[in-house]
Each structure stands twice: as structure tokens, then as C-alpha cells.
Amino acid sequence: MKSKLSLFVLALIFLAVACGMNSLPSRDSWYAQHYFIMHDYEQNTYRQLTSAGRLEFQKLFWEARQPVAKQEFDNRLLAIQRLFKTENRNQPWNTDRARVYLLNGSPASIDYRQNTDWVTTMSPSSSGVSRGVDVNDRTNEDIQANTAEIWVYPYDKYFIYYIFTFSSPSSWKLDPATFQNNRYLQNLEELNKDLTFAVIDEEAYKAKLSALPHSK
């Protein structure tokens, strides 16, 4: 019974993520770029604002965070525009791999499945501890031999795995297997929201958001 319930919960999580990807606001490029690093209350507020209110929200969003957070976001977005434009030339950030990269940064390692073989790419530091993989080399991006990628992120004493499967000619989708035996995935994403893109004074920030002009 517990096993069936767990599978049901995992299925709901996958559907929620899939629906979230499909329902991204493609006509609002700012919202599409920031959607996955926003907290729920920010998403809910933004959708209820007038056009003028949304422009003010965009200013408040980064004023409420440290400058280093904005710098990190800009660096990741530039990398995404270069790395994943073959999937979505107009909005490369509106893809599964870009979402994970934008929120979590570069993975510690990537396993590539080429036909029936797996090849692991890691970037060891001088101390011998692995660090983020340099994913800048995408020369073999659309070669048919690459059928899947597994991105690995450390979390506490665990490892979080994101599985992407390739579909010709240039599409990579988050595989449902990502959510199996990956109980700390959501914890990792929430941690990165709270640390990498942390709000300095949440109470004061929420007060400013509530004062913005809302749609009737």
C-alpha cells in the first residue's frame, strides 16, 4: 500500500513539474526567466498585478536581494542563452535543462549515455573534491549517440540526480525517473532559492509587494 502511495505521489510531482514547464508565461520574458527562482508568494503576487505593478515588482525583486545574487543570476542566464539555444532559440531559458541550471547552477558531474554506454564527466578541483562541471562544450549536442544525461548535485550527505532524455533533433526533457528515489530533490531546490537568491528582509519586502497596484 505504501509503495503504491509513493508512486502516486511521485506521479503527481512529475505532472506538476511538467504542467509548470508547459504553462510558463512565454509572452512575458522577464517572468519566464525568473519563474523558477521565485517563491510561491512572489508568483502569486506577480500574476495579480497590473502592467505598471509588474514593472515595479521587477525592480523590487532584485532590490530585495543581495547584488551578488543578481550577478549570479545574470551569469547563469548568459550561459543558458549560449548552451541551450538549440532547444528554444527565442527563449532558451524555457527548457528543462535550463530550468535546473538556472536554479541549481552547474552540476558536480554529468553522466552521458551513448547508445548502451555511460560516460561520466567530472571537474575535480586542486584539492581532489569535485566541483561544477563546465558544460560550455556542447559541440556534440545533437549527435544521435547521446541519448540521455544525468546531472548530479550534492545535497548534505546525499546526491540528487536529474535525468534528461534526448529526442531528435535537439530536445531534452526531464525524465519521470528523476522523481524516483530522489526524496531530497525539492529540498535542494528550496535551499538554492533560500541561499543563492535569498530575500534580505522578507517581511518588509512582502509589505512593498502588497502595496503594488493589483488588477481588479
Side-chain angles (χ1 to χ4, degrees), residues 158-179:
Y158 308 100
F159 290 99
I160 309 301
Y161 302 92
Y162 290 85
I163 304 172
F164 303 96
T165 53
F166 178 76
S167 177
S168 181
S170 59
S171 178
W172 291 87
K173 297 298 182 183
L174 192 63
D175 193 284
T178 295
F179 303 99

Side-chain angles (χ1 to χ4, degrees), residues 78-80 82-83 101 106 112 133-139:
L78 284 174
I80 285 169
R82 182 178 67 255
L83 299 173
Y101 188 95
S106 190
Y112 298 91
V133 169
D134 181 5
V135 295
N136 292 331
D137 184 6
R138 288 282 172 179
T139 54

